[in-house]
Each structure stands twice: as structure tokens, then as C-alpha cells.
Amino acid sequence: MPALPAARFYSPNRLLTILIFNQLFCTLIGVALWLAGSAGLLLNILVSMFIGNAVWLLVDGGRWLVGSTLMRWTGQGLPWPGYRWMLPVIGLGVIGGYELGRQLSHLLLGVHLAPMFSRGSTLVVTAVAGLTATLFWHATAMLQKHRAEAESARRLAAETQLRLLQSQLEPHMLFNTLANLRVLISLDPPRAQQMLDRLIGFLRSTLGASRVESHPLQAEFDRIADYLALMAVRMGPRLACELDLPPALARVPVPPLLLQPLVENAIQHGLEPQVAGGRIEVRARREADTLVLTVRDTGRGLPDGANAAPAPGHGFGTQQVRERLATLHGAAASLQLAAAADAEGGTLATLRLPLAADTNAATPTSP
């Protein structure tokens, strides 16, 4: 009986929901007619289903036809062409659906129904039921559309935050790297050449990442490797690093610039303040349907309450990572900062992201 102004036509779940709703709605009408004095409960329900489903097919078919035509002509029209177009479609669908259901009832059940316009009560019941169901599905479709638009806006905001994060990180890192490069050119030309190569690789991967919504985890690790190599030139033997990416996880898609804020925090707030420096480890592993990324350093550790509420001027990168994860994956993804549990001390950042069902990943590996 109702039209289907849905954002997606005939997705299995949507179609099943509509069919179930139709039968329940028609059953209620059949019961109401029986209570009003029409003989035969089951007969009333079956006749109501014949008419209701016929009205639905004609109204929704008309909506699809009009919407598709407008889409070709004007670029707009689906899923709801507008009341100016739909009111005639609903009227014709109700009239045609009733007549089709009446003929089916006669052929299959032997029931002789009066023509629609011969009885005022029949006309009112059919018209009101068809219009009510159509408006109900129109309202639900519009609600879904607005939710989709809100979700799109949240994703756009997250990507804007990513650009903001990049604009704050790269000039800072670039300035320090160029200053070190200037010194190395005269003191150690081979190391200067090596540093310049790493810088080129880092900038190239950053430019590529800024143009996509996701990239393979291998690309994220390559970017971190370039970044750590630049930091190693600057910190010398005070910085040791280790990257562990199982081959089975190398092609898993992840949002770009996800690990760098964590690695930069580990160096800036954990290792650089220590005279002896320390070690940073970046690892990936799989736990069931979850991708687990960890960034661990042996630095001076977290200040009290750092995981819950960063102090003003600190924690911008981790806050951005949390907001991006919430936008992209909701409660299915998380970022936790905690003190490392072993005697070396330092901080452990743990990222958890849901893996797609078709992800070609192997069995978990231990960090």
C-alpha cells in the first residue's frame, strides 16, 4: 500500500521491511472491516492484502518512473519527486490498485467487490489508507536522508580537521629538519644527503595521503619510517626505533596520518626531554576482527590525567585522532594512552579499528 521514497531502491533489508509492514497494515484494515460488520475475517484480510499490495506496487512504480524521468531531465527527482508530482501518482495508484485488487479477489477468492466509486465508504477507506502509508514511508525516507547528510557533514568536518592537523605538524617538523640539514651540509655531507632523501620521501607520502580518505597500512608505516629517520638524524644515538608490520596486514586500509601524531607525541613529550633519549616501537597486529596499532616509547611517561583531559596547548594530535576515529567508526574504534607496564617505563598508545569482513589479513601476531 505505501510508496517507497527510499534512498536505495529495493535493498533486501528495505524491501523485506516494507513487505512485512504492508501485510501488517493490510491485516489491521481487514480486521477493522470485519469488526465493522463485513463477513469473514480471513477473507477480509486477504482482500485487503490484494488491494494494499497492488496500490503499493502502482504508487511506488509511479514514483520510480517519475523520479527517474526527472533525474534524467533535471538531475533531481529521486527518491522523492515532490508532492506536485506524487499527488497525481498516488491518486492514480490508489484507483488502479483498488481495481487490480478487486479483480484478483474475484478471480482467486470468488469475492465480488463493488467498484471503488460506487460506495463512499470504500472510496474513503482505500484513499485514506493509501495516502497514510505513503506519507509514512516518505517521512521515514526523509529521516534517513537527513541522517545521511548529517553523517556526510561529520565526515567532512573530520577531513577538515585532518588538513588542519597537517598544516600544524608539517611546518614545525619541516623547519627543524631544514635547520639540521643546513648544519649537516657543511659538517657531514653524506648524512645531509641521506636526510634530504628521507625528507623528500616524507613529503611525497604526505602529499599523496592528503588526497585520499584512506591508504594501505604499509603506506602509513612507510611514512612513519621516513619521519623517524629524520628524527634520528636530529637526535642521533639518543633515538632507537622499531617498526613491526606483519605482511598480512600491509594492505589493510586505514585513514592517513593516523599514527604520526602518536609518534610525534612520543618523541616530543617522551624521549626528547630525556638526556639519554630512548626507544620507540610501532607495531600492528590483528585481534579477531580488530586492527590493533600500538606506539610505545621508553620516555618519561604520561603526566597525571593525560589520557582523560589534555592540558591546554597539549594533546591536540591525540584529540584529533580520537575525533576522527569517532566520526569514521563510532564506538567501534578507540585510542587509549596508558603507562607502559614493564620496567622500562614510558607510554603505550593503543589504537583499535574494526577490520572489514573481506580484509585479507592473517592470524594475529604478538607485539
Side-chain angles (χ1 to χ4, degrees):
M1 183 169 292
L4 306 177
R8 292 186 303 170
F9 276 82
Y10 310 122
S11 67
N13 290 337
R14 180 70 172 173
L15 184 59
L16 179 62
T17 301
I18 291 170
L19 289 175
I20 293 175
F21 174 86
N22 277 356
Q23 310 325 307
L24 293 176
F25 190 68
C26 293
T27 300
L28 290 176
I29 293 177
V31 172
L33 292 174
W34 175 69
L35 292 175
S38 181
L41 174 60
L42 180 59
L43 202 61
N44 276 283
I45 292 174
L46 291 176
V47 170
S48 177
M49 287 182 176
F50 285 158
I51 296 175
N53 286 293
V55 171
W56 165 61
L57 286 173
L58 292 181
V59 172
D60 198 51
R63 177 183 69 87
W64 179 84
L65 181 62
V66 172
S68 301
T69 303
L70 291 177
M71 181 67 74
R72 286 196 296 271
W73 287 353
T74 66
Q76 296 180 343
L78 291 175
W80 180 255
Y83 286 103
R84 181 180 61 172
W85 298 98
M86 282 305 299
L87 287 178
V89 170
I90 294 171
L92 294 174
V94 169
I95 295 172
Y98 178 84
E99 186 59 28
L100 181 58
R102 190 172 78 94
Q103 295 298 333
L104 288 174
S105 299
H106 174 65
L107 291 174
L108 300 178
L109 304 176
V111 175
H112 297 278
L113 295 178
M116 183 176 181
F117 292 98
S118 64
R119 295 175 60 184
S121 58
T122 302
L123 175 63
V124 170
V125 169
T126 307
V128 170
L131 185 60
T132 300
T134 300
L135 293 179
F136 171 78
W137 286 111
H138 171 57
T140 58
M142 291 301 102
L143 180 61
Q144 289 183 347
K145 177 184 176 184
H146 293 319
R147 285 176 176 170
E149 290 175 347
E151 180 64 25
S152 177
R154 283 194 292 270
R155 287 179 180 274
L156 179 61
E159 293 308 311
T160 301
Q161 289 174 346
L162 169 62
R163 306 294 183 265
L164 177 62
L165 181 61
Q166 287 177 314
S167 68
Q168 295 198 14
L169 290 174
E170 289 162 11
H172 171 73
M173 189 278 296
L174 190 60
F175 176 80
N176 289 329
T177 302
L178 291 176
N180 284 276
L181 188 60
R182 182 176 182 276
V183 174
L184 284 176
I185 287 175
S186 57
L187 297 180
D188 193 344
R191 285 187 67 195
Q193 174 93 35
Q194 182 185 11
M195 190 173 188
L196 186 58
D197 291 341
R198 287 289 188 175
L199 179 60
I200 292 173
F202 177 78
L203 294 178
R204 182 185 292 116
S205 61
T206 299
L207 181 62
S210 67
R211 295 173 176 170
V212 297
E213 294 183 357
S214 66
H215 64 179
L217 186 56
Q218 181 67 64
E220 188 74 4
F221 267 67
D222 290 343
R223 179 189 170 99
I224 293 302
D226 287 331
Y227 177 78
L228 288 174
L230 291 172
M231 294 300 103
V233 172
R234 198 172 86 190
M235 295 179 63
R238 295 174 58 234
L239 175 64
C241 53
E242 181 179 349
L243 303 181
D244 179 16
L245 174 61
L249 298 175
R251 298 179 62 183
V252 171
V254 295
L257 200 60
L258 199 61
L259 289 174
Q260 184 176 327
L262 307 180
V263 173
E264 186 176 69
N265 280 348
I267 293 177
Q268 183 177 355
H269 303 298
L271 300 181
E272 278 192 327
Q274 295 192 139
V275 175
R279 187 179 73 259
I280 183 168
E281 301 168 356
V282 183
R283 301 182 186 279
R285 69 178 188 275
R286 177 175 185 168
E287 291 181 358
D289 295 329
T290 301
L291 173 66
V292 181
L293 304 174
T294 57
V295 178
R296 186 263 164 91
D297 67 77
T298 58
R300 63 178 183 177
L302 288 170
D304 292 340
N307 190 34
H314 295 80
F316 176 80
T318 54
Q319 182 62 25
Q320 293 300 312
V321 171
R322 283 195 173 98
E323 291 180 2
R324 290 178 64 205
L325 291 177
T327 301
L328 295 173
H329 301 290
S334 65
L335 166 62
Q336 283 188 315
L337 297 179
D342 55 31
E344 292 185 290
T347 303
L348 175 64
T350 305
L351 267 168
R352 295 180 181 275
L353 297 94
L355 282 168
D358 58 349
T359 298
N360 183 21
T363 51
T365 58
S366 300

